[in-house]
Structures are given as C-alpha cells and as structure tokens.
Amino acid sequence: GEDVEQSLFLSVREGDSSVINCTYTDSSSTYLYWYKQEPGAGLQLLTYIFSNMDMKQDQRLTVLLNKKDKHLSLRIADTQTGDSAIYFCAESSGGGATNKLIFGTGTLLAVQP
Amino acid sequence: GAGVSQSPSNKVTEKGKDVELRCDPISGHTALYWYRQSLGQGLEFLIYFQGNSAPDKSGLPSDRFSAERTGGSVSTLTIQRTQQEDSAVYLCASNNRGSEQYFGPGTRLTVT
C-alpha cells in the first residue's frame, strides 16, 4: 500500500542547513510536495517537484529526488528561527496532480537561536 | 472569498452526537478534498470531489462518515454517532486541475 515515512524530529542551530528526509512507495506519483505547518496554522505549500526532475532550487530551499530509491529530501539553507515548524512531504496518489495527497508523518524542525 | 474557509473553527460534542463540518472552497475550484489530522494517525485523506464525477470515498474510516458537495461548491462532512477516536482537526482543500491544493484553517473536533 501507499506509505510515506519521515523522521519525527530535527534540531538545528540558527544559520545551519537543515535536511529533512522522506521515503515514499508509490512509483506512479507525478508530483511530490513539501508542506509547512506552523503552530495553530494551516498547511502551506513550500515547494514541489515533478517526478522526472532530480533537483529543484527555490531561494533557500533545495529539493532532491532519487526516484530509484523513492527518496525525497528538503534542504533549508541558513535556517532561521522562523523556519521552526512541522514539515510534511506528500505524494499525489494515482499519478495526477489533482488527486489525493498521501502525507508523511511530519518532521518537527526546531531551530535553536 | 480569498481562500478556503471552514466552519466552525472549533467544535466540542458529546459522544454519540452527530456533527456537521462545513467547507467553502476557493470560488471556481473544481476539486475539493477532506483530510483529517490526528495525533495517532497523522494526516489522512478522507474524500475527494472532482466536478460532477462520483467522489473518491476511499479514505472514509467508517460508514458513520459521509460528505456531500452541493452545486459543485460548498461541502459538508457529516459524522454520525461520534466516537472519541473521531477527535481530530478536519482539513479541507480545493484546487483546479494542475494547480496546488489550497488548505483551509481546519475544524478542531473534540468528542467528550
């Protein structure tokens, strides 16, 4: 079945890089996503990557995709205290961009000043 | 409106009562999704509406859960005979084909 896994917790110091990892199982996923959830707030789409890409960079964010190993990572450069949140990776089930999202367990990123 | 809205923002109900949760998607979005976020289960897909097609109900956890979408816009998620394990934040999202899903702020349901 579909399963998306992440490590539960990551702690970094302000200014360091953060790397959040994710493994997924649905090889037909067309898009893979990273969402951010701040305390008491809704889900915010950070970035996404199309499955035929290996890497996508967007300002401080770098997404790496290893399709062979079904491994996705999100690197945040120069991590700030405002980056403290829960980060979810998600795959679109069924291979279409409008289909349901299967979310990972979420990684709590704690940024120490 | 400017974004997806949900009501109520918080709902406390007694075990065994029925509840209705409402979602107003972004105007013009053809697809609408319901998800549930709970401590034990994480973020789970519940149901998906796309235009006039039959909804994908594959994520509904039991027959106590149902949802409808009237006129292709507003959606209501109904939970009958609520149980304590139904306590969660219920999230609604909407999009058009090829675009990202925009999430609402959620309804926090507490079953006592």
Side-chain angles (χ1 to χ4, degrees):
Chain A
E2 301 149 339
D3 197 14
V4 182
E5 295 187 353
Q6 302 176 237
S7 52
L8 292 180
F9 182 73
L10 176 65
S11 178
V12 299
R13 300 184 74 86
E14 191 173 20
D16 289 349
S17 292
S18 307
V19 179
I20 302 171
N21 294 300
C22 171
T23 57
Y24 62 97
T25 56
D26 187 353
S27 58
S28 67
S29 291
T30 307
Y31 292 93
L32 294 135
Y33 304 85
W34 284 104
Y35 281 84
K36 178 182 181 182
Q37 187 177 44
E38 295 179 270
L43 282 167
Q44 174 195 357
L45 179 66
L46 279 180
T47 187
Y48 65 91
I49 188 167
F50 190 56
S51 59
N52 69 355
M53 297 169 65
D54 298 324
M55 185 182 85
K56 180 178 180 181
Q57 187 151 3
D58 184 1
Q59 300 182 339
R60 291 190 299 121
L61 305 178
T62 303
V63 179
L64 294 177
L65 175 61
N66 181 330
K67 200 171 180 183
K68 173 178 169 289
D69 294 337
K70 299 191 182 72
H71 183 266
L72 183 73
S73 68
L74 173 69
R75 179 177 181 270
I76 306 172
D78 187 24
T79 314
Q80 303 297 306
T81 54
D83 294 325
S84 294
I86 301 175
Y87 290 81
F88 293 91
C89 65
E91 58 177 350
S92 59
S93 174
T98 59
N99 283 353
K100 63 189 182 189
L101 295 176
I102 306 298
F103 285 91
T105 48
T107 299
L108 174 61
L109 175 64
V111 183
Q112 310 301 324
Chain B
V4 177
S5 60
Q6 294 185 242
S7 61
S9 54
N10 280 284
K11 176 73 177 177
V12 180
T13 190
E14 291 180 354
K15 178 180 171 181
K17 301 281 191 184
D18 298 352
V19 294
E20 285 189 352
L21 312 180
R22 177 187 168 106
C23 172
D24 284 85
I26 292 173
S27 178
H29 277 185
T30 57
L32 186 149
Y33 310 75
W34 283 98
Y35 296 87
R36 173 169 79 170
Q37 186 173 22
S38 58
L39 280 176
Q41 302 297 324
L43 259 165
E44 305 171 274
F45 164 79
L46 295 177
I47 188 169
Y48 158 55
F49 297 90
Q50 172 65 58
N52 295 321
S53 303
D56 176 353
K57 304 180 183 180
S58 60
L60 294 179
S62 78
D63 58 8
R64 296 186 296 105
F65 287 71
S66 63
E68 59 179 27
R69 189 179 184 195
T70 53
S73 179
V74 171
S75 177
T76 302
L77 177 71
T78 301
I79 309 172
Q80 296 178 308
R81 305 180 303 282
T82 51
Q83 304 295 311
Q84 287 186 328
E85 62 263 27
D86 300 335
S87 295
V89 176
Y90 290 82
L91 295 167
C92 176
S94 71
N95 73 344
N96 277 327
R97 191 174 297 277
S99 77
E100 69 175 275
Q101 292 183 29
Y102 292 86
F103 281 82
T107 294
R108 181 174 296 277
L109 175 66
T110 304
V111 182
T112 60

